[in-house]
Amino acid sequence: MVVLAEPYFYFYTLIPIIVLALLWFLRKTLKGFANLYLLFCLALLPVSGIVPFYYQQSSTVADRYVYFPLLWVTVALVLLLEEIGTQGAHFFRKLSLTFLIAVLSLWVATTFLTIPNWQDDERFFNWMLEANPASH
């Protein structure tokens, strides 16, 4: 199956282009974010599916494909939080800190709920078959 043949491919291709255009227009306000977004897109490009690769026969999606690209999202988040901390209003700082704590709490909860599925091979593969019965 060729990814370019899928009708939704062109629609989803427009999303990163639109985000990049918005970042370009807001480049004076959001210093450096367009560069970080571009680095994120470039790091994701080799596994984007534009050029087929072997593992794509089993699944186009794997979370390990975004580990390195998410480094740039993390850098952008740190820069945003630094900007909020130095120039943001008191209410906005409290709101962003609350949001950050909520997101980190969700990530920790998800991790603790997922860890038992990795105890042994049988439990892991049963968990994977529940999530995707057609996988092989």
Side-chain angles (χ1 to χ4, degrees), residues 13-30:
T13 305
L14 288 176
I15 294 172
I17 294 169
I18 291 169
V19 170
L20 189 59
L22 286 173
L23 287 172
W24 177 257
F25 287 117
L26 298 172
R27 69 184 177 274
K28 292 185 181 183
T29 307
L30 302 173

Side-chain angles (χ1 to χ4, degrees), residues 44-114:
L44 197 58
L45 201 56
V47 292
S48 64
I50 293 174
V51 176
F53 52 98
Y54 179 73
Y55 186 73
Q56 203 172 16
Q57 295 172 1
S58 301
S59 174
T60 302
V61 181
D63 59 349
R64 66 181 170 272
Y65 291 158
V66 294
Y67 289 163
F68 180 67
L70 282 177
L71 168 71
W72 305 113
V73 174
T74 305
V75 171
L77 181 62
V78 167
L79 290 175
L80 181 65
L81 289 174
E82 180 186 24
E83 188 72 24
I84 290 169
T86 57
Q87 297 181 5
H90 183 68
F91 170 75
F92 197 61
R93 280 193 302 233
K94 281 190 172 187
L95 182 67
S96 64
L97 183 61
T98 304
F99 176 74
L100 182 63
I101 290 171
V103 168
L104 289 175
S105 299
L106 285 172
W107 286 345
V108 168
T110 303
T111 300
F112 277 108
L113 291 172
T114 305

